[in-house]
Amino acid sequence: MKAFLKYREIWLAAAIIVLIGLISTRFPAFADPGNLGQVFNDTSILMILALGQMVVILTRSIDLSMASNLCFTGMVVAMLNAAHPAIPIPVLIVIALAVGLALGAINGLLVWRLNIPSIVVTLGTLTIYRGATFVLSGGAWVNADKMSPEFIGFQRAAFLGIPVLSWIAILVIALFFVLMTRTALGRSIYAIGVNPTASIYTGIDVGRTKFIVFCISGMIGGLAGYLWISRYVIASVEVANGYELNIIAACVIGGISIAGGIGSVGGAVLGALFLGIISNALPVINISPFWQMAISGSAIILAVVLNARGERQQGRIILRKAEAA
């Protein structure tokens, strides 16, 4: 039992249950299964993006350009749909993945080949991708009346009573779980985060692996581009502006260490869900926008403190073991 409780995900899941219980005292309908399913659906895009960011952070890197990638890719598919409504939605999704992959590959190549810190690279491409969106669209918006009903309705359609958007999130979660727990790439990602130098001696190509994780992050940003635009039915230069902070916050709350090497798929999903519950619940119980931001910020700071204490505690345990040996 004691070993079981060491998992950060258990505590985070318990915190979410307590949070739902506290909200239910003010708004009983919040805990209804139908409403919780809606919260999951509303948080699906953030979950998907957090998973893409997670693999980057685990390698001691960061991708600040995900929201700009989302904005550019969303504009591309929205303009394509407006100009050619007959293009099937699966084809548009493939195009979104390809565009996102290309943008992620640019980040990865700059980090890999030029050995530029990822925070510098993605801070630059954050602005470039959003500027490219402005150039592509000429500053114009693509509104709902220019989008086809299929473009808007695809993710809202229900399968087995669950919206397609939620199914896409579940599929992405499953794919990342397999990637991180059942593949050599997943093990390499963790190894690089724990000790990049030792990873080289074990035969892991650190630069190539970082390139791959940026490609994954880019594809996730591209997928989220279509999902975001079709959900909020508007494409503009301002789409998801500043949303990269929410993505990183979801990872931090979920226990993904900014220092790399520590974190899990479950943690990233729960971190996003925690933020999703807060953003859905606080307006319902009439908390002012100022306090909403204050509460969200406090949760992030608390998560960072807990992460720092947890990592320090792990170091002490290692030292005690070494001393005992």
Side-chain angles (χ1 to χ4, degrees):
M1 185 66 180
K2 189 175 180 181
F4 185 68
L5 291 176
K6 286 181 180 177
Y7 290 100
R8 172 69 179 272
E9 293 81 359
I10 303 296
W11 289 104
L12 189 52
I16 288 173
I17 292 171
V18 171
L19 182 62
I20 292 172
L22 290 174
I23 296 167
S24 299
T25 60
R26 292 280 302 274
F27 186 67
F30 189 83
D32 290 349
N35 185 65
L36 294 179
Q38 186 59 48
V39 171
F40 181 90
N41 194 59
D42 291 343
T43 315
S44 292
I45 296 176
L46 180 58
M47 287 181 192
I48 293 170
L49 289 166
L51 289 170
Q53 185 71 249
M54 177 195 72
V55 294
V56 177
I57 292 177
L58 285 175
T59 62
R60 298 190 177 189
S61 302
I62 197 163
D63 186 355
L64 297 177
S65 67
M66 283 192 85
S68 297
N69 180 333
L70 180 160
C71 178
F72 180 81
T73 308
M75 180 61 78
V76 169
V77 294
M79 292 178 71
L80 274 174
N81 178 254
H84 307 284
I87 297 177
I89 300 305
V91 174
L92 285 178
I93 292 176
V94 171
I95 292 172
L97 289 168
V99 173
L101 172 63
L103 299 183
I106 292 172
N107 289 335
L109 282 172
L110 291 171
V111 171
W112 178 23
R113 290 302 186 186
L114 300 183
N115 202 28
I116 304 173
S118 59
I119 191 170
V120 177
V121 169
T122 56
L123 194 59
T125 53
L126 175 154
T127 307
I128 294 171
Y129 295 162
R130 202 165 286 276
T133 307
F134 182 86
V135 172
L136 178 69
S137 63
W141 293 12
V142 180
N143 297 317
D145 58 348
K146 297 177 183 175
M147 301 175 189
S148 68
E150 294 78 13
F151 185 87
I152 298 171
F154 177 74
Q155 65 164 287
R156 291 175 171 78
F159 177 69
L160 298 177
I162 299 174
V164 169
L165 176 59
S166 293
W167 281 115
I168 292 174
I170 293 169
L171 176 63
V172 172
I173 292 168
L175 289 175
F176 269 85
F177 180 78
V178 172
L179 170 69
M180 301 307 296
T181 60
R182 298 288 186 274
T183 68
L185 176 61
R187 290 189 290 274
S188 298
I189 290 171
Y190 278 113
I192 291 172
V194 172
N195 193 326
T197 305
S199 300
I200 295 172
Y201 288 109
T202 59
I204 296 173
D205 190 328
V206 175
R208 187 185 298 276
T209 304
K210 286 190 176 183
F211 171 74
I212 293 172
V213 298
F214 274 104
C215 288
I216 294 172
S217 171
M219 289 180 68
I220 289 297
L223 173 63
Y226 162 70
L227 296 175
W228 184 291
I229 299 302
S230 60
R231 180 168 181 77
Y232 299 107
V233 291
I234 186 167
S236 76
V237 179
E238 297 300 321
V239 161
N241 193 14
Y243 202 67
E244 54 273 355
L245 299 180
N246 295 53
I247 301 168
I248 295 169
C251 290
V252 172
I253 291 174
I256 314 301
S257 172
I258 293 296
I262 300 174
S264 68
V265 171
V269 171
L270 289 172
L273 198 55
F274 186 85
L275 285 180
I277 290 171
I278 288 179
S279 63
N280 276 274
L282 296 186
V284 172
I285 56 179
N286 296 321
I287 301 293
S288 73
F290 169 77
W291 282 110
Q292 290 176 32
M293 289 188 289
I295 292 171
S296 298
S298 300
I300 294 168
I301 292 173
L302 179 61
V304 171
V305 171
L306 291 174
N307 280 352
R309 287 181 61 83
E311 290 164 24
R312 192 163 59 241
Q313 186 67 18
Q314 285 181 1
R316 288 171 181 167
I317 291 171
I318 291 170
L319 287 176
R320 282 203 297 270
K321 286 182 177 178
E323 290 171 359

